[in-house]
Amino acid sequence: MRIVCLGDSLTYGYGVKRASVWTALASRAMTGYEIINKGISGDTAGGMLSRFDTDVAGNRADMAFVMGGSNDIFFSGSVPEAKSNMAALVFRSLHHGIRPIVGVPLPVYEPGLAKVWETYASGEAVKRRLEEYRKWLLQFGGSFGVPVVDFWECVPADSDGLDAFYLDGIHPSEEGHGRMAALWAEHITKLTK
């Protein structure tokens, strides 16, 4: 089973060692699965769409895990563009005979937000857009029978846990990647039984 994970910095593993990225952790935990990380830091859902044929279909994926859209929201405030590109990624997967799985990007932890990200990722408007996008991804997956891994489920509820989960309010720490790997592996194992 070959699974290509297409995404942005949350998939790539910004700020952590390659061996600590959730895709690498999941790969070690799920023997028999080849998990290929095709995350690019800073990528948008449109960028992912433009490289789908090369990065996913070109790697002869059995399954495509696609997660993005946060950067679309951070940099342009465009929820509709993120939605349309994510839908196109799912339908392109189906066109190629590749089983799609959608990921819901992590929420922003504003109290832990690094200064460099404040201009793009802080404030109520960003929070509302990310919540709207999450709701849409869950509804979209349900409507089209596409499995969804909601990474909001593995985010701690308390501030001590959040401080340990995030590096900079956007990107997960090694601990965060561990939690993401466990949730992802649980979902994928159920899908492939």
Side-chain angles (χ1 to χ4, degrees):
M1 171 77 67
R2 180 177 291 164
I3 306 170
V4 174
C5 298
L6 187 67
D8 54 26
S9 57
L10 298 179
T11 299
Y12 172 75
Y14 172 89
V16 298
K17 295 177 284 194
R18 298 296 83 216
S20 300
V21 176
W22 68 265
T23 54
L25 297 172
S27 184
R28 286 196 296 277
M30 302 175 71
T31 57
Y33 294 92
E34 181 184 2
I35 300 171
I36 300 171
N37 185 326
K38 288 294 182 178
I40 294 178
S41 292
D43 206 0
T44 61
M48 292 164 50
L49 184 60
S50 72
R51 60 191 176 90
F52 181 91
D53 289 347
T54 302
D55 286 358
V56 180
N59 275 298
R60 299 187 213 226
D62 298 300
M63 300 174 89
F65 177 79
V66 294
M67 179 171 68
S70 297
N71 290 324
D72 304 71
I73 293 166
F74 295 155
F75 300 138
S76 69
S78 181
V79 177
E81 190 171 327
K83 290 177 181 179
S84 65
N85 285 324
M86 287 300 289
L89 284 163
V90 165
F91 295 123
R92 185 162 294 173
S93 292
L94 294 169
H95 170 75
H96 284 283
I98 300 167
R99 185 174 187 186
I101 305 157
V102 170
V104 177
L106 295 169
V108 171
Y109 172 48
E110 199 160 341
L113 199 58
K115 207 152 198 60
V116 68
W117 305 120
E118 285 178 358
T119 302
Y120 307 103
S122 64
E124 283 302 311
V126 171
K127 181 180 176 184
R128 274 194 316 274
R129 287 180 187 121
L130 289 172
E131 288 171 350
E132 174 194 339
Y133 185 54
R134 174 192 186 213
K135 184 177 178 183
W136 180 84
L137 288 169
L138 293 168
Q139 288 173 339
F140 175 78
S143 295
F144 290 96
V146 175
V148 178
V149 179
D150 184 1
F151 283 119
W152 289 42
E153 292 176 6
C154 69
V155 177
D158 62 284
S159 59
D160 288 342
L162 287 164
D163 285 334
F165 184 89
Y166 285 98
L167 285 175
D168 57 8
I170 294 176
H171 303 102
S173 63
E174 288 189 9
E175 179 180 317
H177 277 277
R179 293 172 72 118
M180 290 174 74
L183 181 69
W184 189 85
E186 177 187 328
H187 279 271
I188 302 304
T189 300
K190 286 177 187 171
L191 292 173
T192 56
K193 280 188 175 180

